[in-house]
């Protein structure tokens, strides 16, 4: 970025200060008096309700909760579980069984009280237990049953499964546990009413947590799999096969929420991934997509199976897989101890696992002889089972990331039309039978079974402007460019086609593209050339393929092209994509568009041209109010709009750096043109790290400086006086960090540019992953685009609203939940909702309103594209630099290559 004005002001810069004199080494700097501590910002209160739009009656999946007993207290006890020898219990899931047993055995000592136990370290009761510290001892017979991983490893002394005689002699399954309950805190039930008033403090949040724990425990008692606030029943009707031995399992999310109209229970459909239950061998065949057990890759299988729970058909017992045997079943030996005849001495016999099961146990084995055995023992004392005797237990979560095909299949199988979703939810509420839950009873809680009725409003679509002065209103959240020109079309010149795809008629494709461009007002010259990939290179690694293609292009072209159209193989998510983008944008500064030429028709080409036009600096359509500048508060004074997002590695790739992207509007008074700045940061860190990054007294390498300077240059040397921030992907618990950490960094970077500059801020968080849904009463369709809700199920105190800007075509619309954390600019509720609604209509990639404001979508796209670059980075020489915090402090994170100057301010992510 050229620094015409390092301080961002329009005056000439003062001369540089003289170089500092040498400071003697023994000088101790004087400590500057620190500023008084800053007041922490908190999310602002609601400003009143908006009124614009046509009224509409809706229903929501919030069920009203009545609380009649608010005089008592919840008592919180911490739970300490030990074996009889004092070792702590580490296995998950044992806790619930142990405490159930405590309750059965010591009912009178516990004054007949019911528990709400979270399965870990916390237990709650209504009213106090008879003492502040209570100790109990209980015995459990078969520790390894339904919902746990079992700590009882078969004590088979090396035998694959103990002989029956030994089992009688030593009932090794029974274990003795010691349980300590110590008083930790007491929470007034009155706190529940504070939630409803919106006075959220430690106590009120804790009181809600107790209610949520009661629901979880209720589900656990019915044998459900629990995943945070969701639970899943073991019912094959809820399973959908998505391929690779993975099933989508449908269950329910339920949580208590304080809303404007009181306490409500929010129930929604939720899906998790589980391992296909049944024979282990069937799972492996499906997981690896092979024909038979003899084609299985066992190294892969071992990683996949570790820690999964199985039942052995020989004894109806459950075990946890610790590994596989080194040798096949018919060669793997172990020492079988048998009672000697004469003196009762046990004699040791070396037998193979196969021989033991077939001859000693008389179990017929059909195909296990040549396959590895499953090991369920300890590292030093293996315990083997032949593969065919092992079955995977149901409801075991699959936590690795899904393939593209699996994800598509899951989405397709889990979507439900609004009416179907409503009936499923009503049914779930009936079946869950919360009225019978003793803990809820003792809190005096009853849950209504009707959906909450809500008054919504439908905002009318903003007027859009196309080319040739055409103006139009979108209908039902969509429009098209048939017979319309783009509002600001570019030229496509000095360009070429590169083809990594085997089959494609490139001549026809280019001809159709030029014709389609003409209709939209884009002048497309004939391309220099079409570069076909050399057949020998197709098998090469992605980086090599890209290098070779570039060598070819460079050798034939007179100079650097302005644009490259890249045809990828038919497979979506092709691995050439990341390296290709990086090469074009970071190494050469060439705008590029990739396509996968499967079904290419007019609509496809139009969509392609919308993206190309935006990348090359054109605009497809814009809001009429941008053109006349008449957007409330935005058009009057220079305003920059930011979209901020952080994308993390997918599950199973938790050590890859996270990627933070911030996009910013440019060329004020427009709100349709954006650019992006992207950086890597430590894995899993949600707050954006590099907003302000001073490297000396005059240099700041942060994201904000780059974007603010670009705004200044592109908006006629004006500094933004209003900064509107849309932040994606943070939960309510992180709002204070956004307001106090991120916003502070942004303010610092403004002050660094110009000490006297005091822009005003508007900070809004956009959330998509919540569980509130809206339905039209008695109509089968989704809510109409433009539907906004700011009453009834919204927060009792803070400033939030739900908006469905898009037309939900399939499944049930997921509204976006906007939280206004700070507004120094002073929007009225109506103007603010109108602005957010309008920003859903300026997304250049599509001719529809989208479900969340465009700057947030762009930030998401920019982060995702950069993640593709990282995927193929050679990290071998910086193998330690994968980020993350070690004992030595945080590890450096590999930096992303910077984009070339000429594409840095483009909409390369579009």
């Amino acid at each position: 970025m050229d620094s015409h004005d390092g301080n961002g002001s329009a005056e000439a810069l003062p001369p540089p200060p003289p170089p500092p004199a040498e400071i003697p080494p023994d000088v101790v700097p004087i400590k500057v008096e620190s500023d008084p501590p800053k007041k922490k910002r908190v999310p602002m209160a609601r400003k009143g309700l908006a009124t614009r739009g046509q009224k509409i009656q809706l229903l929501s999946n919030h069920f009203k909760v009545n609380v009649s007993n608010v005089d008592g207290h919840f008592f919180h006890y911490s739970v300490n579980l030990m074996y009889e020898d004092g070792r702590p219990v580490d296995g998950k899931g044992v806790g619930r069984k142990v405490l159930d047993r405590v309750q059965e055995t010591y009912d009178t000592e516990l004054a007949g009280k019911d528990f709400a136990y979270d399965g870990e370290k916390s237990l709650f009761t209504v009213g106090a237990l008879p003492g502040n510290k209570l100790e109990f001892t209980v015995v459990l017979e078969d520790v390894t049953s339904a919902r746990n991983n079992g700590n009882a490893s078969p004590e088979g002394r090396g035998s694959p499964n103990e002989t029956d005689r030994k089992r009688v002699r030593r009932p090794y399954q029974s274990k003795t546990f010691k349980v300590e309950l110590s008083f930790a805190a007491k929470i007034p039930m009155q706190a529940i009413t504070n939630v409803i008033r919106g006075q959220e403090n430690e106590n009120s949040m804790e009181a809600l947590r107790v209610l949520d724990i009661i629901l979880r425990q209720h589900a656990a008692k019915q044998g459900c799999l629990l995943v945070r606030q969701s639970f899943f029943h073991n019912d094959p009707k809820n399973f959908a096969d998505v391929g690779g031995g993975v099933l989508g399992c449908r269950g329910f999310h339920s949580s208590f929420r304080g809303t404007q109209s009181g306490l409500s229970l929010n129930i929604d459909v939720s899906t998790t991934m589980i391992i296909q239950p049944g024979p282990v061998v069937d799972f492996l065949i499906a997981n690896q997509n092979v024909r038979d057990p003899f084609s299985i890759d066992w190294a892969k299988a071992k990683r996949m199976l570790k820690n999964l729970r199985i039942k052995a058909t020989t004894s109806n017992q459950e075990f946890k897989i610790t590994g596989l045997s080194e040798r096949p079943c018919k060669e793997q030996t172990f020492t079988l101890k048998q009672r000697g005849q004469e003196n009762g001495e046990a004699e040791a016999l070396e037998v193979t696992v196969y021989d033991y099961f077939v001859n000693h146990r008389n179990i017929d084995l059909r195909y296990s002889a040549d396959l590895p055995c499953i090991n369920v023992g300890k590292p030093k004392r293996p315990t083997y089972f032949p593969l065919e005797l092992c079955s995977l237990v149901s409801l075991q979560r699959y936590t690795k990331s899904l393939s593209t095909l699996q994800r598509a299949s899951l989405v397709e199988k889990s979507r439900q039309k609004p009416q179907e979703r409503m009936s499923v939810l009503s049914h779930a509420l009936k079946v869950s039978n919360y009225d019978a839950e003793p803990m809820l009873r003792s809190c005096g809680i009853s849950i209504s079974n009707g959906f909450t009725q809500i008054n919504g409003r439908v905002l009318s679509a903003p007027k859009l402007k196309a080319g040739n002065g055409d103006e139009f209103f979108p209908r039902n959240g969509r429009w098209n460019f048939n017979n319309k020109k783009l509002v600001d079309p570019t030229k496509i010149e000095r360009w070429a086609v590169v083809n990594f795809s085997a089959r494609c008629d490139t001549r026809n494709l280019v001809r159709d593209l030029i014709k389609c461009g003409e209709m939209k007002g884009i002048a497309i010259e004939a391309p220099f050339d079409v570069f076909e990939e050399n057949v020998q290179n197709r098998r090469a690694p992605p980086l090599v393929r890209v290098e070779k293609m570039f060598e070819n292009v460079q050798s034939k072209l007179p100079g650097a092209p302005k644009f490259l159209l890249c045809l990828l193989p038919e497979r979506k998510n092709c691995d050439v994509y990341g390296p290709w983008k990086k090469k074009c944008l970071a190494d050469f500064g060439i705008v590029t568009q990739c396509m996968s030429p499967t079904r290419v028709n007019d609509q496809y080409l139009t969509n392609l041209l919308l993206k190309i036009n935006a990348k090359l600096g054109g605009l497809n359509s814009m809001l009429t109010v941008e053109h006349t500048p008449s957007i409330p508060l935005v058009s009057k004074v220079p305003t920059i709009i930011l979209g901020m997002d952080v994308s993390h590695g997918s599950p199973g790739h938790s050590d890859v750096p996270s990627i933070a992207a911030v996009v910013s509007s440019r060329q004020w008074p427009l709100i349709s043109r954006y650019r992006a700045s992207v950086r890597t940061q430590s894995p899993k860190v949600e707050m954006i790290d590099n907003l302000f990054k001073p490297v000396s007294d005059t240099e700041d390498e942060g994201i904000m400086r780059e974007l603010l300077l670009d705004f200044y240059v592109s908006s006629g040397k004006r500094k933004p006086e209003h900064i509107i921030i849309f932040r994606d992907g943070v939960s309510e618990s992180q709002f204070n960090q956004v307001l106090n950490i991120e916003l502070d960094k942004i303010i610092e970077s403004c002050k660094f540019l110009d000490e006297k500059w005091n822009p005003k801020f508007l900070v809004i968080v956009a959330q998509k992953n919540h569980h509130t849904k809206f339905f039209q009463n008695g109509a089968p369709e989704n809510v109409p685009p433009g539907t906004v809700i700011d009453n009834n199920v919204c927060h009792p105190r803070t400033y939030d609203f739900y908006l469905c800007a898009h037309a939900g075509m399939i499944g049930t619309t997921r509204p976006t939940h906007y939280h206004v954390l700070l507004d120094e600019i002073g929007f009225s509720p109506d103007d603010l909702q109108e602005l957010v609604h309008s920003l859903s209509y300026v997304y250049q990639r599509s001719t529809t309103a989208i479900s969340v404001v465009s700057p947030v979508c762009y930030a998401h796209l920019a982060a995702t594209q950069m993640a593709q670059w990282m995927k193929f980075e050679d990290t071998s020489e910086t193998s330690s630099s994968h980020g993350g915090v070690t004992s030595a402090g945080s590890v450096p994170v590999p930096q992303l290559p910077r984009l070339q100057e000429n594409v840095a301010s483009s909409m390369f992510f579009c």
Side-chain angles (χ1 to χ4, degrees):
M1 196 49 63
D2 47 354
S3 54
H4 332 273
D5 299 318
N7 61 0
S9 67
E11 301 89 65
L13 292 181
E22 274 297 296
I23 297 170
D26 55 346
V27 168
V28 179
I30 299 162
K31 197 165 191 292
V32 179
E33 281 305 300
S34 60
D35 298 337
K38 274 211 311 282
K39 222 168 111 0
K40 266 193 131 54
R41 300 184 192 94
V42 293
M44 69 183 285
R46 186 179 300 284
K47 267 193 175 172
L49 301 176
T51 55
R52 255 178 241 161
Q54 196 181 346
K55 293 193 169 33
I56 183 175
Q57 284 292 305
L58 301 170
L59 296 173
S60 174
N61 59 341
H62 282 242
F63 299 87
K64 287 213 165 36
V65 177
N66 282 318
V67 189
S68 58
N69 167 17
V70 287
D71 303 330
H73 284 82
F74 288 123
F75 278 73
H76 175 190
Y77 296 89
S78 60
V79 179
N80 189 10
L81 291 182
M82 292 167 298
Y83 294 113
E84 56 189 325
D85 59 5
R87 279 180 307 133
V89 173
D90 49 359
K92 268 198 189 337
V94 186
R96 282 192 195 278
K97 276 197 218 50
V98 174
L99 278 152
D100 284 348
R101 179 53 58 89
V102 167
Q103 208 168 359
E104 286 162 30
T105 321
Y106 296 97
D107 189 51
T108 45
E109 289 87 330
L110 295 165
K113 286 228 178 289
D114 290 301
F115 293 164
Y117 174 51
D118 71 351
E120 305 273 327
K121 296 264 180 243
S122 297
L123 179 144
F124 299 87
T125 54
V126 176
L129 290 173
N132 278 350
K133 183 146 193 188
L134 301 165
E135 292 194 11
F136 305 102
T137 304
V138 290
V139 177
L140 285 193
E141 280 68 54
D142 174 14
V143 178
T144 46
S145 76
R147 291 247 38 87
N148 74 53
N149 301 330
N151 291 297
S153 87
E155 310 264 302
R157 304 276 159 231
S159 82
N161 202 347
E162 339 38 66
T163 55
D164 301 336
R165 241 177 336 189
K166 188 187 308 166
R167 189 170 315 159
V168 177
R169 206 167 44 106
R170 174 170 180 184
Y172 67 86
Q173 300 112 305
S174 72
K175 286 242 164 158
T176 304
F177 294 90
K178 289 207 302 214
V179 182
E180 288 177 358
L181 302 181
S182 343
F183 170 74
K186 81 184 206 191
I187 306 147
M189 282 157 84
Q190 192 64 45
I192 296 172
T193 50
N194 296 351
V195 174
I196 305 163
R197 294 198 203 104
Q199 302 161 332
E200 286 173 9
N201 53 30
E202 254 336 77
N203 267 343
S204 61
M205 296 322 287
E206 198 62 6
L208 272 201
R209 189 168 90 96
V210 178
L211 297 184
D212 283 335
I213 287 169
I214 296 173
L215 292 191
R216 284 176 57 91
Q217 175 170 291
H218 185 68
K221 287 210 157 84
Q222 299 170 355
C224 290
L225 161 68
L226 303 180
V227 184
R228 290 188 295 280
Q229 301 285 88
S230 299
F231 50 88
F232 303 89
H233 287 275
N234 189 9
D235 178 353
K237 280 209 303 289
N238 298 337
F239 301 165
D241 188 354
V242 297
V246 180
L247 309 179
C249 174
R250 197 177 74 197
F252 298 96
H253 161 94
S254 61
S255 61
F256 287 99
R257 299 189 71 81
T259 68
Q260 283 140 315
S261 57
L263 191 62
S264 71
L265 180 65
N266 176 208
I267 301 185
D268 194 18
V269 175
S270 154
T271 308
T272 192
M273 314 309 307
I274 61 170
I275 299 267
Q276 166 188 314
V280 171
V281 73
D282 293 356
F283 165 70
L284 289 175
I285 286 172
N287 183 248
Q288 301 192 5
N289 195 12
V290 290
R291 284 221 314 277
D292 54 45
F294 303 100
S295 322
I296 290 171
D297 169 345
W298 290 103
K300 206 162 139 195
K302 184 173 173 177
R303 286 197 301 275
M304 197 65 225
L305 292 174
K306 193 166 170 54
N307 291 334
L308 290 180
R309 298 191 320 278
I310 55 160
K311 259 206 161 74
T313 42
T314 52
S315 64
N316 198 15
Q317 245 194 306
E318 239 187 62
F319 303 101
K320 190 153 107 184
I321 299 179
T322 50
L324 296 174
S325 61
E326 298 288 313
R327 307 209 294 277
C329 183
K330 62 169 194 229
E331 295 170 21
Q332 183 65 53
T333 58
F334 68 97
T335 310
L336 177 62
K337 293 196 172 138
Q338 281 197 311
R339 275 275 178 79
Q341 267 59 49
E342 288 81 59
N343 54 7
E345 278 295 302
E347 63 172 315
L349 209 64
E350 278 289 302
V351 290
T352 67
V353 176
Y354 182 81
D355 178 39
Y356 170 77
F357 278 93
V358 173
N359 300 327
H360 291 249
R361 300 281 299 270
N362 300 325
I363 296 171
D364 191 25
L365 294 180
R366 295 191 326 259
Y367 58 79
S368 298
D370 297 306
L371 303 174
C373 306
I374 299 267
N375 179 10
V376 297
K378 300 244 166 65
K380 294 248 162 51
R381 283 214 314 260
T383 301
Y384 296 119
F385 283 112
L387 198 62
E388 68 194 78
L389 300 184
C390 300
S391 255
L392 288 160
V393 175
S394 190
L395 291 187
Q396 300 193 68
R397 282 184 76 198
Y398 177 80
T399 51
K400 302 189 168 40
S401 44
L402 297 180
S403 69
T404 314
L405 285 170
Q406 285 173 321
R407 180 159 287 129
S409 169
L410 176 68
V411 167
E412 186 194 342
K413 288 180 175 168
S414 53
R415 63 167 67 115
Q416 295 166 313
K417 286 261 187 293
Q419 293 298 323
E420 184 193 346
R421 180 162 290 220
M422 282 179 79
S423 70
V424 165
L425 292 177
S426 294
H427 180 69
L429 191 59
K430 263 202 213 67
V431 173
S432 57
N433 191 10
Y434 288 135
D435 292 344
E437 171 57 54
M439 287 288 292
L440 290 180
R441 268 222 188 109
S442 50
C443 305
I445 281 182
S446 60
I447 297 163
S448 131
N449 53 11
F451 287 75
T452 299
Q453 300 203 344
I454 290 178
N455 299 319
R457 292 169 292 110
V458 182
L459 302 178
S460 46
K463 197 187 228 178
L464 296 185
K465 194 174 163 52
N468 296 347
D470 250 6
E471 292 188 338
F472 60 94
F473 282 106
R475 292 183 43 181
N476 194 24
R478 36 198 345 131
W479 64 95
N480 61 39
F481 278 108
N482 299 351
N483 317 323
K484 291 189 190 75
K485 299 253 193 283
L486 305 183
V487 69
D488 177 11
T490 49
K491 276 220 226 10
I492 302 182
E493 50 191 9
R494 306 219 343 245
W495 69 290
V497 182
V498 302
N499 183 12
F500 287 103
S501 164
R503 322 179 273 288
C504 179
D505 181 353
T506 35
R507 291 251 304 280
N508 273 341
L509 177 72
V510 167
R511 191 196 60 217
D512 293 346
L513 193 66
I514 290 175
K515 200 165 74 197
C516 190
E518 206 174 308
M519 318 253 292
K520 306 286 170 278
I522 298 178
I524 306 178
E525 291 181 355
F528 278 135
D529 207 342
V530 173
F531 296 95
E532 300 284 349
E533 182 174 37
N534 193 327
V535 184
Q536 286 102 302
N537 294 342
R538 279 209 192 117
R539 289 259 169 282
L543 289 164
V544 175
R545 293 175 69 181
V546 168
E547 279 301 329
K548 295 272 191 239
M549 183 62 89
F550 255 93
E551 284 165 17
N552 193 2
V553 171
Q554 279 173 301
S555 65
K556 305 260 173 58
L557 292 187
K562 276 191 172 167
F563 171 68
L564 286 173
L565 180 66
C566 171
L567 309 186
L568 296 173
E570 279 73 10
R571 280 178 311 125
K572 263 282 205 286
N573 289 0
C574 146
D575 49 9
V576 178
Y577 178 85
W580 173 259
K581 286 279 181 191
K582 177 171 173 285
K583 193 87 179 146
C584 288
L585 295 168
D587 300 357
F588 289 99
I590 299 169
V591 175
T592 174
Q593 175 64 49
C594 293
M595 61 180 284
S596 214
T598 29
R599 296 186 297 283
V600 177
N601 52 19
D602 269 5
Q603 187 57 58
Y604 184 95
L605 292 174
T606 301
N607 289 347
L608 200 69
L609 283 166
L610 292 180
K611 294 167 76 164
I612 294 171
N613 190 47
K615 285 175 180 173
L616 286 169
L619 262 188
N620 303 327
S621 61
M622 62 195 289
L623 304 170
T624 303
V625 288
E626 288 179 85
H627 186 67
T628 51
S630 59
I631 306 166
L633 299 180
V634 171
S635 307
K636 299 281 183 290
V637 299
T639 300
I640 186 171
I641 298 177
L642 304 176
M644 302 171 39
D645 185 32
V646 177
S647 95
H648 304 289
S650 53
H653 296 275
S654 52
D655 59 340
V656 299
S658 291
I659 295 178
V662 183
V663 303
S664 60
S665 61
R666 49 202 312 267
Q667 295 181 10
W668 176 81
L670 294 188
I671 60 170
S672 286
R673 285 191 196 271
Y674 292 85
R675 61 154 297 160
S677 177
V678 188
R679 303 276 200 284
T680 48
Q681 57 187 42
S682 301
K684 298 265 177 288
V685 171
E686 188 48 69
M687 288 300 116
I688 298 180
D689 223 1
N690 295 309
L691 292 167
F692 175 54
K693 199 176 171 196
V695 285
S696 72
D697 288 349
T698 51
E699 273 181 286
D700 160 20
E701 287 182 354
I703 292 174
M704 284 310 302
R705 180 188 179 92
E706 190 181 314
L707 301 178
L708 292 168
L709 287 175
D710 174 78
F711 179 90
Y712 181 77
V713 172
S714 69
S715 307
K717 301 228 163 162
R718 290 186 188 84
K719 277 182 298 202
E721 288 170 43
H722 293 165
I723 298 183
I724 298 177
I725 298 167
F726 286 96
R727 178 67 160 95
D728 185 28
V730 291
S731 61
E732 271 125 68
S733 59
Q734 296 165 314
F735 287 177
N736 287 335
Q737 290 174 286
V738 170
L739 277 176
N740 293 295
I741 299 174
E742 288 185 343
L743 183 56
D744 274 352
K745 290 288 177 214
I746 293 172
I747 292 170
E748 280 182 64
S749 84
C750 293
K751 293 284 183 207
F752 198 83
L753 280 165
D754 175 1
E755 192 51 54
K756 294 190 287 294
W757 173 31
N758 285 314
K760 291 184 171 147
F761 288 92
L762 168 65
V763 180
I764 302 182
V765 168
Q767 284 178 337
K768 288 278 286 189
N769 53 354
H770 55 84
H771 290 276
T772 297
K773 300 284 191 302
F774 299 105
F775 306 92
Q776 292 201 60
N777 203 346
E781 314 85 4
N782 270 309
V783 297
T787 300
V788 62
I789 289 98
D790 60 4
N791 60 48
N792 211 313
V793 293
C794 290
H795 193 279
R797 188 188 65 83
T798 55
Y799 188 179
D800 65 337
F801 60 91
Y802 291 93
L803 173 66
C804 306
H806 64 302
M809 289 305 181
I810 43 183
T812 303
T813 297
R814 175 178 293 192
T816 299
H817 193 180
Y818 291 100
H819 301 259
V820 186
L821 303 188
L822 174 72
D823 177 9
E824 300 175 333
I825 299 171
F827 279 90
S828 72
D830 273 312
D831 284 345
L832 185 62
Q833 290 174 15
E834 199 75 65
L835 174 68
V836 170
H837 186 224
S838 297
L839 281 170
S840 305
Y841 277 85
V842 299
Y843 190 57
Q844 298 297 312
R845 281 165 56 120
S846 73
T847 54
T848 62
I850 54 173
S851 64
V852 64
V853 289
S854 305
V856 157
C857 258
Y858 288 146
H860 196 71
L861 287 173
T864 310
Q865 186 173 129
M866 292 299 194
Q868 294 291 327
W869 294 24
M870 296 290 291
K871 219 152 95 188
F872 294 93
E873 283 293 77
D874 179 31
T875 43
S876 53
E877 74 275 9
T878 54
S879 54
S880 67
S881 65
H882 249 355
V885 178
T886 61
S887 51
S890 58
V891 178
V893 173
Q895 285 303 308
L896 283 168
R898 288 302 174 88
L899 299 176
Q900 289 287 323
E901 200 67 44
N902 58 329
V903 290
S905 60
S906 75
M907 289 179 63
F908 69 87
F909 42 80
C910 208

